[in-house]
Structure formats: structure tokens, C-alpha cells
Amino acid sequence: MSTASLPPVAPEVLAEAVEALTARLRKKLDAAVAECAGKATEGADGTVEVRFGEDTLVTLAPGPSGAVTEAGQAVCSCLLAPRCLHRTAVLGAAPIADAEVSAEVEAEASDAAAEGASPAAGQVGALSVEPVPGSTAASDSGSESGPGSGSGPGSVEDVVAASLTPAQTRAGAALWQAASEALAAGVTAGGTVVQAELLRAAHTARLAGLPRAEAAALRVVRGLRNAREQGRGQRLSDLTAAFRELLASAFALASGAAGPGAVGGARRAYEKGGSLRVLGLCREPVLSATGYGGVTTHLLGPGGAFHTVSDVRPGGIGRAKGAGTASVALGGAVLDHAGLARGGLLIAGATVSADGRLGAGRSVRATPVRGAAWSEEPVAALFARPVREAVTAALDAGAEPAGGTGPELLGCDVEVLGAAEDHLVARVLDGGPLVRLRVAHPHPELAHTANLRRIGGHPGLLLRVLGRPDPDRAATLRPLAVAPVPGASPTLRLPEEWLGRADLGYDRLQGDHFPRLGAGAAAPAPVPGGPDPLADAPLWRVRRLLETGVAGGRRAVAEAARGADRAAPAVPLRRAGLTGAAELAEGLAAEADRRPRDSFGRLVDASSDAYARAWLASAVHLEAAERSLVLASWS
């Protein structure tokens, strides 16, 4: 029985190990990886061992970061080592090290040491869980922090180039080729060898100064692994989105048309923001699939700008729960995240990243100040903005290349109509649309699900909600915090110490927080479902075709096209006026079924390049069309 888990492995270490195998051993690699499940045991001096038979032992010795980052940290006792199947299989069974997060954790520690701060109290970029929607995220994944010390306190060298270098263009071309092959293979044939080619291209992108492209490739690799292992948290739609992002980024880089936003930076650059007064809005638990947990506190700055202070480190759900009351290390201010979410800070010498993250440098000084209730200005202005205008701004901010982990926050006043399936239905007050309230973070140990369930039991309740709009669902909001509607009677009654709002991820609503129902209260009316233009549109046919390609590869798309009249799926699209989607879907099916022959008339494998281009064109068009329908649903 396993007594230990395998440590994360750097992408380049696994890629080099797979490349060293012979063609015969590569064919056996996936089966050998599956055999490693449950065999890890704790060795001496913090090592992890996996035994194959009586005479073969693979030993992993992680470095200080807890990951295997060098080839010499993985050894095998067999005669073929290090070019052996055992060592490579163990490396292939281990999780992929999160290069971005690990680098930021290490950078934060070095920055804190240089700034004279405690490394344990630094801020690390927030990660999205469900991708969320925000979860964004995480998305994105995916899904990602402290000030640097480069040329001075609170600053780092910005590695974003004004134009692409030849090395970056070559790295983009290599990434496009590897991604195209992985897409053509699909989940069914996207085993360890295919993943290793993606990891090698990702490492090349990292060396060329393309961390954003590297992160996109790692998300695809993790998605392929989860899908092949039938992971509970894996959705085919998430992997499809990851492929779209990777291919779009690689195509732009390979063509030399990528801008600075697509290149990204190896470190989050902080700029001096001078004096800054920020007011707490709410706390949000952060939980990543790679074992990181913590909290992000959302703040409101001058001019309605959103800012965040995050504390994310290894620890998973335990740390995500505990970090909600952890101290905030920002300019010597004596506050915890719970106090900051309901208070405020006056910051001198502030450092701010492009996505609003506040840095904690030696020159930063912060003084706690009184916070503002959601019914007071300037916070009240968030809830007075027309909802369609606010949603458009939030989704646009989340779609920017240099943006954060998802859409910006959205505030609105709603009337709860009741529960329907896995969400709540509410109506935005003053003639607004019907919206669906879905859980922001579904982990059972967080309070989100229980709180939404309690709210759903009080139809007619008026709520002031602050949350993140879901960019992939029609009129859907994922609430992070709630408060009473000023002047309303059927609304929440929260304790004074909560200062007028409840963080749904940490505070637990109780029965006495809700208005009492009268003895003659009428039975709740049926909950209206509301229109869903995204579900009603025939675009699901395109989405299914794209996801079929991700799951089964090029062959699955070709078989789907051969199984019926190729033009039949496009008929509903044309009837709905979606001519562009119909033509692109037909082009994808035709390219997938293209079977070229050599000069002797023999069938040869078609290039994956043209297929990947056709798939990407259809995926990008689908994303734009669905986004238009999502925005329309908020009207």
C-alpha cells in the first residue's frame, strides 16, 4: 500500500526521460505508468521510492522546493538506467510541477528576504479552482506575486519584449507543432509520449521568455492526464478551452503577430502607486488543483478600481480555510484578512501590479482606517451601475491578456425566487433580468454551498450580492458575499460584528440571520426557469464537434462526419443565421476526413497543421458567438 505520494516533476525532466527511451520502450510507457499507482513509499532522507519486482528500485529525491527539478534527482537501480522504462514511468506518473506558482513562491521568499519581511507572510498570486468561472479559475487555469527587488524596492525588471525575438518565434512554432499533434491524437491517444512533446515545447517557451505560453501548455498536459485518468474534477469543456487558448497563443507567436500581452512576464511587475486608500469588499477562498490554498481579499480603490491582497501557499483545503483569518503582511498594518475585508487601509508608497495586486515592499507603509458599508459611497456605486454595463466591463477585464484570474466583480440587488436544480433563480431589482446564482467554490468544506442552500429556502428575500459573472453560462453570477438591501424589509439581519455583509466562503448564515416567516405565509410560487439563449442556440452542435475532436482526436471527428450526411449538422446552424459557424464546422469535418496519398497511391498520414488550423478557427468563432449570447442574456 502506498505510504507517500509522488513529488511533482519539472516538465523538462520528464521530457528528457521520454526522449531517451527507445521506440520499443515508448510503446510500453503508458502501461508502465499505470502500474506505478499506489506503489510509492517513503524512503530515507525525505526520498520517495517505487519498487518494480525484487531487484529494481526507483528513488526520487526532491529538491528544497519539494519538486524533482534535475535529472539526477531521479535514479533507478536497473542496468539500463537512466534510459530505462522504470525511471521514466515513475516520472510520468508524478504530477507536473507548477512552474509558475513555484517560481512565484520562491521569488516571494527572496523578495521578502531582500525587503526585510517575513517570507511566510508574503502574497502569492491567486489561483482559480473551477476554473472557474472565474473559478475562474481560474481559472486560468490557469488559473496565477509579491514585489520584486530588481532595480529598487517594489519593482522588478519587466521581461516583456516590445517585439518577438527569433527564439520566441521558433519556440512558438515548436509549441504549435506539439499542440497540433496532441489535438490530432486526442485524449484517447494522448499518452505520456504525446504529453512529453508538449512539455518539451513548454520548456522551450519558458527558456525563450514566454511564461504565458508555457502555462497554457501545462494546463493542456494536466487536462489530458485528468481526462485519461477520468478525474472527478475534469470537464471536457475545460480541456477544449485549454486547447483553444494554447493553439491561439502558439499560432500568434509562430506567425510573429503576438503582442506583449501574449508574451507575458516571468514575474508579475509592480509599479509605484503612490498614496492609496483602499476599502475592503470581501474575502474569497482560493484552492488549486496542484495543492495550493489560501485567500484573496478584494478591495476597492480610487475611481472604482479593484485591488486584491492574496496569501496563497502549499496546503490545499486546510490552508484555504485557515487563511481567512491569517494576518495580512502589508506595510506593517496589524490586520487579518477578515478585518481587512470589512475595514480599509491607507497605503503610502504602494506598489500595484497591472491586474490590481498590491505588493508588500520595504518602502510600503499601511495604516488601518475605517471601512465602508456597502450602502455607503464609494462602495454603493458598485450596486447602482446598470447590470448590463457592469457585466460587459467585468467580462472585458477578464478577457484581457494581462488580466487576472477571471472577470472582475459585479454588484447588484436581487430578489431570490427560489432553488432550481443546482442553482438559485433571482431577479435583478428595478426591472432587471432573471439571473442564476451558482456556487463560487463547490468544495464541501467551504461554506459556499451551505449558504446558498439556506438562501434558496427563503423565496422573496432581497439581497445585495457581490460576485463574479460566469463567462460561459447565460446570466449566471457566482456570489462571493451578500448583504442586506438598504431600506428593504424581507432582507438579511446580520450581526454587528460582520459590519453588514457575509463572506459566503467563510461566514456561515444561520436561521436568525433571515427574516421570520409569518404564520399565514403563502406557499412559494413555482420558480421560473428564464430564457437561456446559449442553451437554445444550435451552437451546441459545434461545441460537441470540437469536444469530440478533443476526446477522440482527428479520427473521431472524421468518423462522425462519415456516419451521416456531412452537411446535415450545419442545416440547423444556417436556419438560425449562424452561417459562419456552419461553414467552419463543415470545413473542420472535411479536413479531419482528408486522406492524402503518396505518389504510389498509398494512404499517408495527413499533416496535423491544417487540421489544427480548422479546429482553432471553429473554436475561436464559437467562443465569440457564445460570448455575444451570454452578454445578451443579461439584458
Side-chain angles (χ1 to χ4, degrees):
M1 179 179 293
S2 172
T3 59
S5 58
L6 292 172
V9 173
E12 63 272 19
V13 174
L14 174 58
E16 292 174 359
V18 173
E19 185 181 24
L21 292 181
T22 63
R24 181 179 63 85
L25 292 180
R26 290 188 184 188
K27 294 179 180 179
K28 301 179 179 180
L29 182 55
D30 287 333
V33 168
E35 292 179 6
C36 296
K39 288 187 176 182
T41 58
E42 294 181 0
D45 302 327
T47 60
V48 177
E49 299 176 345
V50 178
R51 183 172 294 279
F52 291 84
E54 297 182 358
D55 303 326
T56 303
L57 181 68
V58 177
T59 304
L60 302 182
S65 65
V68 176
T69 57
E70 300 177 3
Q73 294 174 342
V75 297
C76 180
S77 62
C78 77
L79 297 178
L80 294 179
R83 301 179 178 180
C84 64
L85 184 63
H86 313 107
R87 175 178 176 273
T88 307
V90 173
L91 292 175
I96 299 297
D98 197 330
E100 181 180 358
V101 176
S102 299
E104 290 199 348
V105 171
E106 295 173 1
E108 177 64 26
S110 64
D111 289 342
E115 302 272 358
S118 170
Q123 283 76 46
V124 181
L127 304 174
S128 49
V129 186
E130 191 187 356
V132 236
S135 195
T136 2
S139 28
D140 305 219
S141 171
S143 226
E144 306 159 258
S145 192
S149 55
S151 58
S155 65
V156 295
E157 292 183 6
D158 191 355
V159 298
V160 177
S163 59
L164 295 180
T165 65
Q168 290 174 329
T169 303
R170 290 193 297 270
L175 201 56
W176 169 264
Q177 181 178 357
S180 300
E181 295 292 344
L183 178 67
V187 171
T188 55
T192 307
V193 174
V194 172
Q195 296 169 23
E197 291 301 320
L198 267 175
L199 294 177
R200 174 171 292 280
H203 183 58
T204 302
R206 183 182 185 185
L207 296 179
L210 301 171
R212 193 177 302 280
E214 177 204 17
L218 295 185
R219 280 193 291 273
V220 169
V221 172
R222 292 194 182 98
L224 286 172
R225 286 187 167 197
N226 289 338
R228 289 176 63 83
E229 297 168 2
Q230 297 182 347
R232 293 175 55 188
Q234 175 63 31
R235 298 187 307 174
L236 190 57
S237 59
D238 293 338
L239 182 54
T240 302
F243 262 112
R244 183 191 66 234
E245 179 184 353
L246 173 59
L247 287 168
S249 176
F251 183 83
L253 292 169
S255 63
V263 173
R267 295 275 302 280
R268 177 175 284 109
Y270 283 73
E271 298 180 355
K272 294 183 179 179
S275 296
L276 194 64
R277 187 174 187 268
V278 293
L279 301 172
L281 294 174
C282 66
R283 296 168 292 168
E284 177 183 8
V286 174
L287 188 63
S288 82
T290 52
Y292 285 79
V295 63
T296 290
T297 297
H298 297 273
L299 310 164
L300 185 67
F306 289 108
H307 297 281
T308 57
V309 174
S310 299
D311 182 4
V312 181
R313 293 191 174 277
I317 183 61
R319 194 172 194 286
K321 294 169 62 179
T325 54
S327 61
V328 177
L330 187 65
V334 184
L335 271 179
D336 59 17
H337 281 272
L340 179 58
R342 293 179 168 92
L345 287 176
L346 181 61
I347 308 174
T351 56
V352 186
S353 70
D355 59 355
R357 203 72 51 90
L358 297 179
R362 184 174 54 188
S363 61
V364 178
R365 294 291 181 268
T367 304
V369 297
R370 176 185 175 277
W374 284 8
S375 57
E376 301 175 4
E377 296 294 344
V379 181
L382 293 177
F383 304 92
R385 192 176 185 183
V387 66
R388 171 64 185 268
E389 176 185 328
V391 168
T392 302
L395 296 182
D396 286 344
E400 292 177 0
T405 58
E408 286 187 350
L409 301 186
L410 165 71
C412 60
D413 294 341
V414 303
E415 177 188 0
V416 177
L417 302 181
E421 299 178 351
D422 59 346
H423 61 273
L424 305 185
V425 178
R427 184 183 299 278
V428 177
L429 298 184
D430 298 328
L434 286 178
V435 298
R436 298 161 182 83
L437 304 181
R438 292 184 179 272
V439 174
H441 299 284
H443 197 286
E445 294 189 38
L446 297 176
H448 287 283
T449 302
N451 283 332
L452 241 63
R453 187 179 295 117
R454 278 192 173 272
I455 292 173
H458 292 76
L461 183 71
L462 302 183
L463 281 180
R464 177 155 283 188
V465 181
L466 185 66
R468 185 176 287 112
D470 190 331
D472 300 322
R473 296 177 185 269
T476 298
L477 185 66
R478 297 188 180 265
L480 301 179
V482 295
V485 175
S489 103
T491 190
L492 292 175
R493 302 180 299 179
L494 300 180
E496 292 184 4
E497 58 268 23
W498 287 11
L499 298 181
R501 63 257 206 182
D503 295 332
L504 295 180
Y506 291 103
D507 303 320
R508 291 189 178 270
L509 297 173
Q510 305 297 331
D512 56 354
H513 296 157
F514 295 89
R516 298 185 183 276
L517 297 176
V527 179
D532 190 343
L534 195 60
D536 296 339
L539 287 172
W540 64 267
R541 299 175 183 273
V542 181
R543 188 162 52 249
R544 185 172 65 179
L545 183 65
L546 295 173
E547 293 179 355
T548 297
V550 170
R554 179 176 188 154
R555 289 186 178 180
V557 177
E559 289 296 333
R562 296 192 201 114
D565 181 7
R566 182 177 297 170
V571 173
L573 294 170
R574 296 185 188 278
R575 288 175 179 171
L578 301 170
T579 306
E583 292 178 352
L584 290 171
E586 288 176 333
L588 173 60
E591 180 58 39
D593 199 27
R594 187 171 63 87
R595 307 180 71 187
R597 297 178 180 270
D598 60 14
S599 55
F600 296 100
R602 296 172 298 193
L603 290 173
V604 297
D605 291 334
S607 170
S608 60
D609 181 80
Y611 172 74
R613 288 172 182 261
W615 189 94
L616 178 60
S618 189
V620 170
H621 184 277
L622 175 65
E623 180 191 25
E626 290 183 334
R627 174 184 169 82
S628 297
L629 292 175
V630 168
L631 287 176
S633 69
W634 285 90
S635 299

